[in-house]
Amino acid sequence: MVDRFLGRDRRPAVVPEAAPPPQLAPPPPALPPAEPPPAEPPPPAAPADPSSAPEGPPDAAIEAVWSRVQQARNLKRPHTLELLATIADRFVELHGDRLFSDDEAIVAGLAEIGGRPVVVIGQQKGADTDENIRRNFGMPHPEGYRKAMRLMSLAERFELPVVSFVDTPGAYPGAGSEERGVAEAIAKSVALMTRLRTPIVVVITGEGGSGGALAIAVGDVVVALENAVYAVISPEGCASILWRTSDKASTAALAMRMSAADQAALGVVDRIVAEPDGGAQADPIETATRLRAVIVDELDRLCAIPTDELVDARYARYRRFGAFAETGVPAARAQRQGIADRIRELRGIIGARREAERRANASGTR
């Protein structure tokens, strides 16, 4: 079948007598193989371009920033009440937000600093486990921010400066906090501080984390201790988003520029107060004494500025953050129809079809 498919004939063919093969000339003798030409020496290697090589952050820089983060989180670091014991000549704490309860993560009250009456607001962490649980590890609830706003309004009414101490990993994100409107409380606090008609001095003593810190950190001047940190998110949170692991927290801390020196270079922090050797926890009284001198100096300067100029300068200060430049005018985007316009258009189409059907039926009946 294969032969038939290929057009072959299976019958034996008559093979003619083969002619004698021609006599071939003997092959020429083989030539010896040619020697390869000598290899040229390779060209000299070009010097490496340092800009093209992948560069990572140096380990020394990562360790330096991460050590400051650990210093800011040190449990023995002095907190608001410990600092006020030296900074303030007198202090009377006020409690409650007059709406829900008293949040012990924020302390607030009336104080006297350098002979000047002021309103003091500050986030308070605990020195041990029991106090940390009672203070919620310095993470305020909505009622804590509403208590702070109540004291700010008192300060404006009685023309008292406000001194705010920031030391929190962030606002408390629990279910109860969300149910009582922690985001709304933070937003209202920020809005109130931007237009408060009285001087505001902000002191970052430890962690300044996210909106929980910003809620009481809008001021005319921002002072930070040497080992304080200030950022929109914790290094662990940033690393979990970018690298899907918190093991890169130290690298994230460097990239976020969250140290006091970096924040001063960005213009977010105005003054940095040096800490004693070993950090603020090594000598809390000396740390508070240095802070007191800076706070008194800033209060004297700010209280001499007219109120209208003070509020305008505060507004301009925060408008300068995140400056950008427009490189071109974007094309106008087509206006999208709202849901009401689309419903009206659809009703018009349906009505027109029904009218056409009615006329067709009427003409057919005739």
Side-chain angles (χ1 to χ4, degrees):
M1 182 180 293
V2 175
D3 293 323
R4 189 179 303 168
F5 179 77
L6 296 176
R8 297 173 180 169
D9 191 356
R10 297 188 64 179
R11 291 174 298 177
V14 178
V15 179
E17 185 177 356
Q23 296 294 326
L24 299 176
L31 298 176
E35 295 183 359
E40 297 182 0
D49 184 5
S51 62
S52 62
E55 294 184 0
D59 293 340
I62 293 177
E63 292 177 2
V65 173
W66 191 242
S67 67
R68 294 196 184 277
V69 174
Q70 298 302 315
Q71 287 269 22
R73 294 174 173 177
N74 194 305
L75 292 177
K76 296 181 179 179
R77 194 172 181 85
H79 306 302
T80 300
L81 291 178
E82 291 80 9
L83 294 171
L84 282 177
T86 300
I87 294 175
D89 305 319
R90 292 185 296 168
F91 175 66
V92 178
E93 186 176 357
L94 302 179
H95 299 272
D97 66 339
R98 300 297 188 267
L99 292 172
F100 184 75
S101 68
D102 181 41
D103 184 7
E104 295 191 62
I106 286 187
V107 295
L110 303 174
E112 184 178 334
I113 301 177
R116 186 189 301 277
V118 298
V119 167
V120 171
I121 299 166
Q123 286 144 342
Q124 179 71 22
K125 294 180 179 178
D128 52 36
T129 302
D130 293 337
E131 188 182 6
N132 258 325
I133 293 174
R134 182 164 57 88
R135 302 282 185 184
N136 201 34
F137 296 87
M139 294 185 291
H141 293 81
E143 50 270 23
Y145 294 115
R146 292 180 180 123
K147 175 172 66 173
M149 285 187 280
R150 183 171 73 87
L151 269 292
M152 293 177 200
S153 299
L154 282 177
E156 185 178 48
R157 183 185 309 172
F158 295 106
E159 299 180 354
L160 301 176
V162 175
V163 180
S164 178
F165 293 89
V166 177
D167 185 16
T168 180
Y172 183 61
S177 183
E178 296 291 347
E179 289 171 357
R180 296 192 296 275
V182 65
E184 182 264 355
I186 291 174
K188 271 194 171 182
S189 183
V190 171
L192 176 61
M193 295 188 81
T194 56
R195 63 176 185 270
L196 202 67
R197 297 181 62 80
T198 192
I200 305 175
V201 176
V202 176
V203 182
I204 304 174
T205 61
E207 284 186 282
S210 191
L214 185 62
I216 61 170
V218 180
D220 301 298
V221 63
V222 177
V223 180
L225 285 176
E226 180 183 1
N227 290 318
V229 294
Y230 197 24
V232 298
I233 192 174
S234 68
E236 292 81 2
C238 177
S240 298
I241 294 172
L242 296 181
W243 292 285
R244 299 293 188 269
T245 174
S246 60
D247 296 339
K248 294 282 189 177
S250 57
T251 304
L254 177 64
M256 292 163 62
R257 303 183 66 181
M258 60 189 302
S259 68
D262 287 333
Q263 292 295 303
L266 293 171
V268 177
V269 169
D270 299 296
R271 296 182 65 170
I272 298 177
V273 178
E275 299 183 15
D277 294 337
Q281 64 275 8
D283 194 344
I285 295 179
E286 175 62 22
T287 302
T289 301
R290 296 179 183 183
L291 276 178
R292 174 188 166 93
V294 173
I295 292 172
V296 170
D297 180 53
E298 292 297 338
L299 287 175
D300 291 342
R301 181 180 67 85
L302 295 174
C303 289
I305 301 175
T307 303
D308 291 337
E309 295 181 14
L310 192 72
V311 176
D312 291 343
R314 187 188 309 154
Y315 175 80
R317 167 190 170 86
Y318 287 93
R319 287 290 294 174
R320 286 194 298 268
F321 292 163
F324 63 93
E326 293 185 0
T327 58
V329 179
R333 181 180 295 181
Q335 184 91 19
R336 294 186 61 183
Q337 285 185 325
I339 185 65
D341 295 331
R342 295 171 67 183
I343 291 175
R344 281 193 290 267
E345 182 180 355
L346 183 60
R347 290 179 62 183
I349 294 173
I350 295 174
R353 287 181 178 177
R354 288 178 177 175
E355 180 65 19
E357 291 176 358
R358 187 185 65 79
R359 291 181 179 178
N361 292 336
S363 61
T365 303
R366 293 175 185 174

